[in-house]
Amino acid sequence: MSIANKPKIIIVAIACRPYVEAAVACGYTVVAIDAFADVEVSNLAESCHQLEFSNGRLNMHQLMQVMGVLYLQQFVGFFYGAGFEKEPAMLSTINELLPVVGNLEQVVSRCKAPDDFFSLCEQLQVPYPKVMFSQPNSTEGWLRKEIGASGGGHVQRVDLQVSHGQKGQEDTVYYQQFQQGQPVSCLFIASKNQRQEHLVQVIGFNEQLIIPSHDVPFRYGGAVSHAAISDVAKARFEQYVNQLSQAMGLVGLNSCDAICDGDAIYVLEINPRLSATMDLYTDMQLFEKHIAAVAGEAVEFEQDCKSSHAQQVIYAEYKVTIKDDIIWPSWVYDRPKAGSFLDEGMPVCTVVAEAETAEQAKCLLSERVVAINREFLN
């Protein structure tokens, strides 16, 4: 895709602001489709379409309705973030209408089927917390996870569920042993080198923030770049990502979630799609590199600057209506439109910060989160 030929693209995700921002910065005209239609997306995109979102799913029927009224011949590609994990077959349907720029159904299905994914980890000797596909007899120290879900909101402690008499459909869940350590992620790009061999390049290692609530103990809360993990852990993480990426045939931008315990890395999952953590590396033209990598081109990039970027999602602690007169600080993104009604537990906005180290970035982030909660959401 040449610089001279950059017409329109479609971007779909549960929350697609980071991808829309990156695409527009590269010169693309974007039609955005997501669950929130926040201020930034509405301002950046040529048009923005909002989908219903419930039980961790985008309304795919609505998505096809939106695409049905768009003149698809004007678009050069379809890009996606979180939202297709439970329905990867939709990517094949869409690919018949418009080229999907990213991993296709077969790859996404394999990544998101825990029996396939952890069998592959076993074959490659990639460490992971023990997995079971029926409820363990001893529930203490076990987590229940929903297949194809994202964001951590679906993860529950099995012992607490049992004590409350809760049990899910066994064909939609799996069980994983709780692993002590720091949640981390690796953002990477899978491409071809000059000899057309599979190549994985790590963009960055990130600390994952968990923002628990009473009902959602492992809810995703954001990320911090330049995670303070050992060189041994980084080398192991990169090795595991290389092995898994090559075995599954990943292309473009992807991320891998894991637990870091000292020098040990325990892989949790691969997210074979655009990741919100690319927002931590805005100076690296990752959107362009994603396109090139998917096209089979060799991709080169300089390392990111040494400063650390941090982001945290603010969730509504109670039902709230966004006031008309709020003047948001410049370090707030994903802002809801004035008058929006947000139910308890819904994401309100994202706070960002930058500093020399990850710890300093987290400290500044915490101060800003307190200020937002005090000044705007009380």
Side-chain angles (χ1 to χ4, degrees), residues 201-236:
Q201 297 176 83
V202 170
I203 295 160
F205 299 100
N206 311 302
E207 178 182 339
Q208 302 278 68
L209 303 179
I210 305 300
I211 308 296
S213 69
H214 176 70
D215 297 325
V216 191
F218 297 97
R219 181 173 59 183
Y220 174 79
V224 185
S225 68
H226 299 299
I229 61 177
S230 72
D231 289 342
V232 172
K234 288 178 182 177
R236 287 175 174 167

Side-chain angles (χ1 to χ4, degrees), residues 51-212:
L51 302 181
E52 292 176 0
F53 178 65
S54 62
N55 298 319
R57 290 176 182 261
L58 288 171
N59 188 316
M60 292 296 171
H61 177 67
Q62 285 185 347
L63 171 59
M64 296 312 296
Q65 286 182 319
V66 171
M67 293 191 65
V69 300
L70 296 172
Y71 178 62
L72 295 182
Q73 285 81 352
Q74 68 186 308
F75 298 99
V76 296
F78 177 98
F79 298 76
Y80 69 96
F84 291 86
E85 290 85 351
K86 289 186 178 181
E87 300 182 71
M90 286 297 302
L91 295 172
S92 292
T93 301
I94 292 166
N95 198 44
E96 292 176 0
L97 304 173
L98 184 66
V100 171
V101 185
N103 295 295
L104 298 178
E105 177 188 354
Q106 186 176 2
V107 173
V108 176
S109 295
R110 193 176 185 194
C111 284
K112 293 302 157 184
D115 49 351
D116 286 350
F117 179 71
F118 291 113
S119 292
L120 179 60
C121 288
E122 193 74 33
Q123 293 170 27
L124 298 174
Q125 297 184 324
V126 171
Y128 62 92
K130 186 177 178 180
V131 169
M132 293 182 68
F133 296 96
S134 59
Q135 186 167 293
N137 293 325
S138 175
T139 59
E140 187 174 352
W142 284 87
L143 305 175
R144 175 185 175 275
K145 298 186 173 184
E146 189 175 335
I147 295 172
S150 61
H154 61 102
V155 182
Q156 297 289 338
R157 296 183 185 275
V158 179
D159 52 351
L160 295 181
Q161 284 197 308
V162 170
S163 67
H164 289 91
Q166 298 173 339
K167 192 171 182 178
Q169 290 180 260
E170 292 299 308
D171 60 346
T172 64
V173 302
Y174 66 102
Y175 300 87
Q176 191 160 41
Q177 207 162 38
F178 176 76
Q179 172 62 53
Q180 288 285 354
Q182 171 64 52
V184 293
S185 71
C186 174
L187 182 65
F188 64 96
I189 193 160
S191 61
K192 302 287 186 182
N193 63 16
Q194 299 294 345
R195 297 186 297 277
Q196 289 299 293
E197 299 166 328
H198 192 88
L199 175 66
V200 168
Q201 297 176 83
V202 170
I203 295 160
F205 299 100
N206 311 302
E207 178 182 339
Q208 302 278 68
L209 303 179
I210 305 300
I211 308 296

